[in-house]
Amino acid sequence: MLEELVTAGVALACTGTVYLMAAARVVKQYERGVVLRLGRLASEVREPGFTMIVPVIDRMRKVNMQIVTMPVPAQEGITRDNVTVRVDAVVYFKVVDAADAVIRVEDYRFAVSQMAQTSLRSIIGKSELDDLLSNREKLNQGLELMMDSPAIGWGVTVDRVEIKDVSLPETMKRSMARQAEATRDRRARVINADAELQASRKLAEAAAAMSDQPAALQLRLLQTVVAVAAEKNSTLVLPFPVELLRFLERSGLQAQAQTAAAEAEAERDGVQRPAPTAPRASRTAVEHGAEAALPPELADLPPVEDLP
């Protein structure tokens, strides 16, 4: 009798252990457990931790609640301005309702992937090439709205969508490169022309200042010679502008004219001024005094006018 009781106790313990092992489940922190009892959804979703189900009757499916990063294969399409492009993207989504993700859609990952591909092709056809290249933020928001609306019914929410790369044909790349080069060339020419205009204005102001002071041009020439000679060259080739020669010629003519005018004025002053007579009178007085004072032996000599 005792042996039967021991055997029954051991059998019961083994059965309980097997039942416990079959019924025990552990749900991780980032998971939720959806229990189907006889094919119907149980009233509650199992939270993280240790939980029990009824073996054979219950089936529990664990759903990952983490954010899923899903790359979207490259989609080829034609933009609104008739340019063939190839665009790929990446989708970030997560499950917010584990029961809907299990019940309402067969495979929510595959559904999100297909929806992302169709939305990407649709957004390519509605956009222009410049928008795909420079206005990606707006396109990302459009893709997110297109995907988030149907995904809500699946218990999934789209966190964000990013366009990764836009592949262009080689002919379009060369055309864009030529366009960018022409734009930069035009900008460089405009900047150079503006610089030349400013330099010409400054040179005109400098020329006006030098015309007031003729010596300034010579000083500037000497400064140029000093700057060139600082390189320690054995031979110095100095370009001599014709304008400088003409300037020096005009300066010389002006100096000659001023000298001639001064001489003519001096001559006119000499003609109009009367000659002094005092020396002649004194000379006559001296001559008479000399005749009075001559010795007797020289008094008989002829006058000076009669001498040969």
Side-chain angles (χ1 to χ4, degrees):
M1 184 67 182
L2 183 61
E3 293 180 357
E4 293 178 356
L5 293 175
V6 171
T7 303
V10 171
L12 184 60
C14 292
T15 303
T17 303
V18 172
Y19 178 83
L20 182 63
M21 293 178 61
R25 294 289 186 276
V26 176
V27 181
K28 297 180 182 179
Q29 181 64 39
Y30 54 85
E31 294 177 339
R32 298 294 183 270
V34 179
V35 178
L36 299 176
R37 181 166 295 170
L38 297 177
R40 300 185 63 180
L41 179 65
S43 59
E44 60 180 7
V45 177
R46 304 301 172 86
E47 296 295 328
F50 181 79
T51 185
M52 297 286 292
I53 63 173
V54 179
V56 181
I57 297 177
D58 292 344
R59 293 287 184 273
M60 188 175 72
R61 183 174 176 180
K62 298 178 182 180
V63 180
N64 193 336
M65 306 295 289
Q66 292 176 319
I67 295 178
V68 180
T69 303
M70 177 179 294
V72 181
Q75 302 297 313
E76 186 172 354
I78 300 177
T79 61
R80 193 165 60 181
D81 49 354
N82 297 325
V83 178
T84 303
V85 295
R86 190 177 180 87
V87 183
D88 57 353
V90 59
V91 181
Y92 300 90
F93 69 94
K94 64 179 179 179
V95 177
V96 293
D97 192 337
D100 289 343
V102 174
I103 300 301
R104 291 177 179 266
V105 63
E106 180 181 3
D107 187 352
Y108 67 90
R109 289 177 178 267
F110 181 74
V112 171
S113 176
Q114 295 300 313
M115 183 177 58
Q117 296 180 31
T118 55
S119 299
L120 185 58
R121 285 195 294 267
S122 177
I123 206 71
I124 290 173
K126 295 179 181 179
S127 305
E128 295 183 357
L129 180 61
D130 293 338
D131 295 334
L132 289 175
L133 296 177
S134 60
N135 198 9
R136 293 189 180 183
E137 188 66 26
K138 184 177 179 181
L139 297 180
N140 294 337
Q141 294 176 1
L143 280 173
E144 182 178 349
L145 292 175
M146 292 176 65
M147 295 179 59
D148 196 35
S149 298
I152 290 295
W154 305 337
V156 178
T157 179
V158 178
D159 189 46
R160 62 186 304 175
V161 183
E162 295 287 343
I163 295 177
K164 291 197 301 183
D165 188 22
V166 179
S167 300
L168 301 175
E170 293 297 330
T171 55
M172 181 58 64
K173 290 181 180 179
R174 288 193 294 268
S175 299
M176 294 177 65
R178 289 195 299 268
Q179 179 183 0
E181 184 179 358
T183 302
R184 291 185 178 275
D185 190 14
R186 179 180 62 84
R187 190 182 306 171
R189 291 184 179 181
V190 170
I191 293 174
N192 190 16
D194 191 11
E196 292 292 339
L197 178 60
Q198 295 180 6
S200 63
R201 291 176 180 174
K202 295 298 181 181
L203 289 175
E205 294 177 3
M210 288 183 179
S211 62
D212 296 337
Q213 297 293 334
L217 186 60
Q218 298 180 5
L219 293 177
R220 184 58 181 166
L221 179 61
L222 294 177
Q223 289 178 357
T224 305
V225 173
V226 171
V228 175
E231 299 295 332
K232 298 181 181 180
N233 296 324
S234 58
T235 303
L236 177 62
V237 178
L238 179 64
F240 207 75
V242 179
E243 290 78 5
L244 182 59
L245 294 176
R246 293 175 180 174
F247 172 74
L248 295 177
E249 183 179 0
R250 288 196 300 268
S251 300
L253 293 176
Q254 290 177 0
Q256 292 178 5
Q258 292 176 0
T259 303
E263 292 178 354
E265 185 178 359
E267 290 178 358
R268 287 196 302 270
D269 293 341
V271 170
Q272 293 176 0
R273 186 177 300 169
T277 56
R280 182 175 296 178
S282 61
R283 182 179 179 184
T284 306
V286 171
E287 290 177 354
H288 290 292
E291 291 177 356
L294 286 175
E297 58 272 12
L298 297 178
D300 296 334
L301 291 176
V304 179
E305 290 82 358
D306 298 335
L307 292 175

